[in-house]
Amino acid sequence: MSFNQSENDMSLNQTEVREIQKIEQIYYMKPIIETIKIYFGRVGILDSLDYIHDILRDSQAEVEKLLVERKSRGEINDISQARKSIVGSAFSNCLIYIFLKNKESGFILPNIFVTNKTRDAKFESLITIQVGEETQKPDMDLIFYSETPNKELFKTMVVSLKTSLRERAGQTYKWKLLMEIASSDCSVKDKYNIQYNPTHPPIVCFATVNFYNEINQPQHRGMFKFFDASFIGKPMNADFIANMSTLVDFVNKNLV
């Protein structure tokens, strides 16, 4: 199944425009977006995805200034705690923002969307595996998805985002293994009464910025084999993980 793209399709819809505006209004995203625009001019909108690590690092000093100002005004109590809560959210917002800017520029098909509202009811049957009387859901931060011309959900791709491989990346690939067991005809499925029957099982992916240079450690590299694809927001030449800019081509090919 494929969808044709015309010149008029290259603009964002109202929901996507509002999403960009919402991200632009987040206080800590303002200096990050200024840095993103610098990278747009330096390496281009598409290749900026490969520099999310550098964008976040280059914005760090300005974000710190904002935290100090908010602390002095009594808006936050603990700078270190605020900093921790920002890191993961900044990665997610940065990726969504650049992705939408790529779509606005015509690099992404018009029927492909991204959301961090991963608990939306329309995705429930795709991400919920029944194990006896319990359910299992993946640890995910973003969903990329496509719609039919009738605006019905077509295909999905769930992504776990981690700034560091020290975080619990393993939870997502364990769910991926469970999904494959649930989709197969094997004794393990029957033994644990595993049930999962979506029309289109989601593609399961991982993305990181590798802040602590853990990417080449064998115990971490091994987990990438369990994902359908893995991406890194830092220029790299490796056979086990792809540069983030390839995400655009990946969703265009796999979600239509």
Side-chain angles (χ1 to χ4, degrees), residues 3 145-155:
F3 304 92
Y145 65 99
S146 57
E147 292 182 343
T148 68
N150 294 327
K151 304 299 181 183
E152 296 175 347
L153 186 63
F154 184 49
K155 292 184 179 180

Side-chain angles (χ1 to χ4, degrees), residues 208-220:
T208 184
V209 285
N210 189 34
F211 273 146
Y212 302 100
N213 295 314
E214 307 150 298
I215 204 79
N216 286 309
Q217 295 177 11
Q219 66 269 33
H220 291 133

Side-chain angles (χ1 to χ4, degrees), residues 135-186:
T135 58
Q136 294 288 322
K137 297 180 182 181
D139 172 31
M140 59 184 179
D141 301 283
L142 294 181
I143 295 180
F144 295 89
Y145 65 99
S146 57
E147 292 182 343
T148 68
N150 294 327
K151 304 299 181 183
E152 296 175 347
L153 186 63
F154 184 49
K155 292 184 179 180
T156 57
M157 170 178 145
V158 302
V159 186
S160 176
L161 302 181
K162 300 300 175 191
T163 55
S164 163
L165 301 186
R166 298 174 189 175
E167 300 178 54
R168 295 178 298 115
Q171 184 179 340
T172 307
Y173 83 69
K174 289 174 184 175
W175 182 88
K176 172 69 159 51
L177 289 174
L178 181 61
M179 184 186 78
E180 292 187 1
I181 291 171
S183 303
S184 66
D185 184 15
C186 68

Side-chain angles (χ1 to χ4, degrees), residues 27 67 76-87:
Y27 79 92
L67 291 177
I76 58 174
N77 295 320
D78 187 339
I79 288 180
S80 63
Q81 188 61 41
R83 187 185 299 119
K84 288 177 183 177
S85 66
I86 284 173
V87 175

